[in-house]
Amino acid sequence: MIICVRINHFYTADLLQEPAIVVREKAVLDATPQAIALGVTLGMPFGLAKTLLSKGAPEGKRIVQWKPEDYEEAQERWLDACLPYTDVIEPIDQHEAFLDFSAHPSPEAVLDSLKLPENASIGVAKVKWLAKAALDKDDKNQFAYYAPNLFLDSLPTNMLAPVLPESRARLKFLGYQTAGEIQSISLETLREQFGKEALTIWQAARGRAGKPVQPLYPHAALGARIYFESPVEALETIETAIEEIAVELAKKLEARDLQGSNMRLWIGYEEEPEELLEREFTKPMHSATSLRFAASTLFKTEKPVTSLRIQLPNLRKANRKQQKLYVAR
């Protein structure tokens, strides 16, 4: 399960008592309900929005220029509230982000317990781009996740994000207005018309394709976790789980060329709160071997375990020095 979260009126939270807008790059980024009542819409050119505000509320109009630093603390606050539930968070903007719950055995239960601000809206699907489409389409019944074919039947062609804009325009010109209509085209016919992009079009029309969610928050941290189907006491099973997490984290570190000396280990129990163990090691960790050793050293409990979560905070660029001129073959 992938969730796309949007915090509504995120930038105007302190301006809700009057008609007001927040402007970014000469367009309306956010607007209060009072400004929206005057005809202002998100994305509207600044000049038009300014005119509407002047006519509707000449005394109370308020225009704020967006500065990213003004909203960083608020962004971190709502994203940090999501960290107990997933280690794969990809911010889209300060008020929007993707959350990946694919690794959880019961993502629906996590969604029910997820603590988001009251002014949050969500879109839910099994792929990233479709979750964003569900959010934009206000899919309150979550058809994009539970009944994707039904959702895709009426999804406009121009919302197939994995498909190039020019191909979307061409499909509409050919008379295919929705993803459901595109599903009637065979892959062979698409290849004749669109060449290499045919497979992407074919998959997108069926709610597939697209890129995975990237673990980009927290900025200097990486994490991974594993859930057990039932409480585990056997040390061998726990060591195998630690090995899996270590390999996953090592791949993430290598992909971003990072290393770290700090480790946090959360141990989950069936009827008790998670236990947090943390330590700073003298040598940096960047390989699966070093991560496995650190986690095994840190792990201490005699109770049945339901989950393991490891986070590597305070990461920095890897210091890779050539140790030897020759290496054994």
Side-chain angles (χ1 to χ4, degrees):
M1 174 185 284
I2 294 173
I3 300 174
C4 188
V5 182
R6 174 182 298 147
I7 310 300
N8 302 300
H9 302 298
F10 175 79
Y11 306 94
T12 57
D14 298 327
L15 307 171
L16 294 180
Q17 301 304 316
E18 60 182 310
I21 60 173
V22 176
V23 179
R24 180 172 67 183
E25 297 178 356
K26 299 181 179 180
V28 176
L29 174 63
D30 200 0
T32 63
Q34 296 91 331
I36 293 173
L38 295 174
V40 176
T41 58
L42 303 188
M44 175 180 283
F46 168 58
L48 179 55
K50 183 178 179 182
T51 301
L52 291 173
L53 284 177
S54 299
K55 290 180 178 179
E59 299 299 327
K61 67 173 183 176
R62 188 166 182 187
I63 298 168
V64 178
Q65 292 294 329
W66 172 80
K67 296 179 182 178
E69 59 271 18
D70 292 342
Y71 306 97
E72 286 176 355
E73 185 177 342
Q75 179 191 20
E76 291 175 0
R77 193 159 51 244
W78 81 265
L79 288 177
D80 286 347
C82 301
L83 282 173
Y85 305 93
T86 178
D87 294 295
V88 187
I89 299 176
E90 180 182 343
I92 310 170
D93 209 330
Q94 290 179 310
H95 68 296
E96 288 186 352
F98 289 109
L99 312 178
D100 190 346
F101 294 148
S102 301
H104 198 283
S106 302
E108 295 84 1
V110 179
L111 180 58
D112 291 338
S113 61
L114 182 62
K115 296 179 181 178
L116 292 171
E118 292 182 359
N119 55 333
S121 299
I122 65 170
V124 184
K126 293 182 180 179
V127 294
K128 178 176 163 182
W129 73 267
L130 196 58
K132 180 68 163 62
L135 174 62
D136 292 338
K137 289 280 287 180
D138 194 23
D139 181 29
K140 287 186 171 62
N141 293 316
Q142 299 177 7
F143 288 135
Y145 180 75
Y146 292 102
N149 288 335
L150 181 63
F151 180 79
L152 288 163
D153 279 345
S154 59
L155 186 68
T157 297
N158 59 7
M159 295 186 74
L160 295 179
V163 180
L164 292 174
E166 52 268 33
S167 297
R168 284 180 252 161
R170 187 177 172 194
L171 284 163
K172 289 187 67 177
F173 176 77
L174 292 172
Y176 298 95
Q177 305 299 317
T178 66
E181 293 174 353
I182 296 173
Q183 289 181 22
S184 65
I185 313 174
S186 68
L187 184 57
E188 291 73 19
T189 302
L190 286 171
R191 284 200 176 107
E192 292 174 1
Q193 297 293 324
F194 295 91
K196 294 181 179 179
E197 202 185 6
L199 182 59
T200 300
I201 297 172
W202 190 87
Q203 291 177 330
R206 289 160 175 77
R208 307 172 198 169
K211 299 178 180 179
V213 180
Q214 299 298 314
L216 301 181
Y217 185 87
H219 306 296
L222 285 172
R225 66 184 76 195
I226 196 165
Y227 300 90
F228 301 107
E229 293 183 0
S230 58
V232 172
E233 294 184 77
L235 189 58
E236 295 82 1
T237 304
I238 292 171
E239 288 177 346
T240 299
I242 289 175
E243 171 74 21
E244 291 180 16
I245 295 176
V247 170
E248 181 181 346
L249 284 174
K251 290 178 180 178
K252 292 179 180 180
L253 289 172
E254 183 179 4
R256 295 170 64 175
D257 196 26
L258 296 171
Q259 65 181 24
S261 302
N262 299 82
M263 177 178 285
R264 295 171 182 161
L265 171 64
W266 284 267
I267 304 174
Y269 304 108
E270 191 169 26
E271 296 181 355
E272 298 179 25
E274 284 185 323
E275 180 182 5
L276 171 60
L277 305 169
E278 52 187 325
R279 178 175 168 182
E280 181 177 357
F281 294 87
T282 54
K283 294 184 179 180
M285 300 169 285
H286 52 76
S287 67
T289 301
S290 59
L291 290 167
R292 183 183 67 243
F293 173 79
S296 298
T297 302
L298 202 54
F299 180 85
K300 287 183 177 65
T301 187
E302 296 181 356
K303 304 174 187 176
V305 175
T306 58
S307 64
L308 292 174
R309 175 191 175 199
I310 295 177
Q311 186 188 67
L312 306 174
N314 307 320
L315 294 172
R316 57 190 183 277
K317 281 293 181 181
N319 182 19
R320 304 187 185 280
K321 294 182 180 179
Q322 184 175 358
Q323 301 295 325
K324 297 180 181 179
L325 181 60
Y326 302 100
V327 294
R329 294 187 179 180

